[in-house]
Amino acid sequence: MPTVSSEELAAAAGVNSAKLRKDFSYLGSYGTRGVGYDVEYLVYQISRELGLTQDWPVVIVGIGNLGAALANYGGFASRGFRVAALIDADPAMAGKPVAGIPVQHTDDLERIIQDNGVSIGVIATPAGAAQQVCDRLVAAGVTSILNFAPTVLNVPEGVDVRKVDLSIELQILAFHEQRKAGEEAAADGALPAAGSAAARKASADQGPDGAAPAVMPA
Amino acid sequence: MPTVSSEELAAAAGVNSAKLRKDFSYLGSYGTRGVGYDVEYLVYQISRELGLTQDWPVVIVGIGNLGAALANYGGFASRGFRVAALIDADPAMAGKPVAGIPVQHTDDLERIIQDNGVSIGVIATPAGAAQQVCDRLVAAGVTSILNFAPTVLNVPEGVDVRKVDLSIELQILAFHEQRKAGEEAAADGALPAAGSAAARKASADQGPDGAAPAVMPA
DNA sequence: CTGTGTGAACATCTTCACAGCT
DNA sequence: AGCTGTGAAGATGTTCACACAG
């Protein structure tokens, strides 16, 4: 399949073809009228715009179950991410290989960041250690942090933080589940105006969308 | 602090107070004019609406690093989730306790689901096993699935799936990181119209937002 | 003729601003 | 006098529909 139309792509993605065309148009005019988009060229352009063509060295701090799971996660390499180092505070972990990469001790954090030119850090420590690790990462030059610890991190201006809270995803499922169950059947007495107004679209797609609750500022 | 105003809550959440009030109003009129919202009552009403007051038994299938990390995750209990069972295909895992819960074998999946009245399942298996596990969960009565395996699952109408792709979060960080780096400096020759139009707001808040890319339909 | 690229129409979401309750 | 609850205005996002390139 050398070429693909906006109609086909839209159907595959479950969106309107006009939206897809308009979105693509913000990246430039990469389609051919009457023909469609050249698949290879389009993939390249989107990859480049998203930063997939670059090499992003990342460090993972906190090699517990979650840290180990992340280190083993196959999806990173194909998206340009390279696990440059694994860091843990437990001296007993030092030197032990996880996913083929030897764990290093927290003492060397600053050196590791600088030696590898790391600008993206992943925090998978317990909540109590997260802010301190974050401060050290930032001081060492990291400007983007993916935080799995259940804490809101304080960072200076210019540093990006994304917090992943695994229970929020479950929360969203449970919310819809509750709604399925209560469909018309048992009208809960103590809820005056909740009926129609809150009954928004229950999106049928997989993955995070606008349904996420309000979040904390940086 | 027995009472709180929309202004205070909005400041804490980093949003406009009018938006907060309007959002609350969809749940009913739980505030008092001239006073604010009664904290305890508000918490209860929101908790109930979100389903936090219910008990949600969940099963986790696939007890590798990620499954174990999820089983140990502290945030679940406080949000009404109870890990009812851990299931793995490896017979060697059977009986072994993870997070204090003995792992059970996949053979008993259907019985476990039914005995515990589970309607939410978490898939943390390798990609190859995910669809099969999914089919069995659905057949056994599960109607909501949180999928960590890097596959898009096929499910019948009426079943909700949320896919968590850990690399997408990194992707979003890398995208902003790239943008920080390329600020004005090096105008990449091969990008005609990408400049201003695509330079949207770089949100300063932590956590998933509308920046996620288009997703697959069910 | 076919399918992109895009103004214009339409829809949804956010913020303003103020009437009205406490 | 203070703060909610909400119509109306404004901003943003999506879809339509068609001129025009290939």
Side-chain angles (χ1 to χ4, degrees):
Chain A
M1 200 178 200
T3 202
V4 67
S5 72
S6 62
E7 203 67 60
E8 294 169 290
L9 281 174
V15 300
N16 182 294
S17 70
K19 175 165 167 30
L20 194 138
R21 286 201 302 280
K22 182 151 275 188
D23 283 0
F24 279 6
S25 77
Y26 289 121
L27 306 178
S29 290
Y30 298 139
T32 308
R33 297 182 179 208
V35 179
Y37 299 89
D38 180 86
V39 173
E40 199 180 353
Y41 186 53
L42 183 64
V43 165
Y44 169 71
Q45 289 298 347
I46 293 177
S47 297
R48 192 174 48 72
E49 183 73 12
L50 293 179
L52 294 174
T53 55
Q54 286 183 45
D55 172 69
W56 295 105
V58 303
V59 294
I60 301 174
V61 186
I63 313 302
N65 279 314
L66 183 56
L70 291 168
N72 280 298
Y73 186 67
F76 289 156
S78 64
R79 292 167 183 255
F81 298 107
R82 180 167 49 81
V83 178
L86 305 178
I87 301 177
D88 199 279
D90 182 359
M93 291 284 292
K96 230 199 250 176
V98 171
I101 303 166
V103 174
Q104 297 180 266
H105 190 264
T106 321
D107 286 348
D108 298 323
L109 189 145
E110 286 76 10
R111 186 184 52 70
I112 296 165
I113 300 290
Q114 267 134 42
D115 286 0
N116 292 280
V118 172
S119 57
I120 301 179
V122 178
I123 297 180
T125 65
Q131 182 64 56
Q132 199 191 325
V133 166
C134 172
D135 292 345
R136 289 182 64 184
L137 287 174
V138 170
V142 166
T143 48
S144 290
I145 291 175
L146 184 57
N147 178 31
F148 285 90
T151 334
V152 172
L153 297 174
N154 280 307
V155 291
E157 183 87 356
V159 176
D160 270 352
V161 178
R162 293 189 70 83
K163 183 176 185 305
V164 176
D165 181 342
L166 300 170
S167 70
I168 279 184
E169 296 296 322
L170 269 185
Q171 196 71 76
I172 295 169
L173 281 176
F175 178 76
H176 288 128
E177 192 66 29
Q178 173 183 237
R179 198 155 281 265
K180 283 184 211 166
E183 213 88 295
E184 302 297 320
D188 190 312
L191 232 178
S196 56
R200 308 264 173 65
K201 59 153 189 268
S203 78
D205 50 30
Q206 304 181 11
D209 58 20
V215 287
M216 294 290 133
Chain B
M1 199 178 203
T3 201
V4 66
S5 73
S6 62
E7 204 66 61
E8 294 169 289
L9 281 175
V15 300
N16 182 294
S17 71
K19 174 165 165 37
L20 194 138
R21 286 201 300 281
K22 182 149 276 188
D23 283 1
F24 280 6
S25 78
Y26 289 122
L27 306 178
S29 290
Y30 298 139
T32 308
R33 295 178 183 210
V35 179
Y37 298 89
D38 180 86
V39 173
E40 199 181 350
Y41 185 52
L42 182 64
V43 165
Y44 168 71
Q45 290 298 346
I46 293 177
S47 298
R48 193 174 48 73
E49 182 72 13
L50 293 179
L52 294 173
T53 55
Q54 287 184 44
D55 172 69
W56 295 105
V58 304
V59 294
I60 301 174
V61 186
I63 313 302
N65 278 314
L66 183 56
L70 291 168
N72 280 298
Y73 186 68
F76 290 156
S78 65
R79 293 167 182 253
F81 298 107
R82 180 168 48 81
V83 179
L86 305 179
I87 301 177
D88 198 279
D90 182 358
M93 291 284 293
K96 229 199 253 179
V98 171
I101 302 166
V103 174
Q104 298 180 264
H105 191 264
T106 321
D107 287 349
D108 299 323
L109 189 145
E110 286 77 10
R111 186 184 51 70
I112 296 165
I113 300 290
Q114 266 133 43
D115 286 0
N116 292 279
V118 171
S119 57
I120 301 179
V122 178
I123 297 180
T125 65
Q131 182 64 56
Q132 200 191 325
V133 166
C134 172
D135 292 344
R136 289 182 64 184
L137 287 173
V138 170
V142 166
T143 48
S144 291
I145 292 175
L146 185 56
N147 177 33
F148 286 91
T151 333
V152 172
L153 297 173
N154 280 308
V155 291
E157 182 87 357
V159 175
D160 271 351
V161 178
R162 293 190 72 84
K163 184 175 185 307
V164 176
D165 181 343
L166 300 171
S167 70
I168 279 183
E169 296 296 321
L170 269 186
Q171 197 70 74
I172 294 169
L173 281 176
F175 178 76
H176 288 128
E177 192 66 29
Q178 174 183 236
R179 197 154 284 266
K180 281 183 213 168
E183 214 88 296
E184 301 296 320
D188 189 311
L191 231 180
S196 56
R200 310 264 173 66
K201 60 154 188 266
S203 79
D205 50 29
Q206 304 181 12
D209 58 20
V215 287
M216 294 290 134

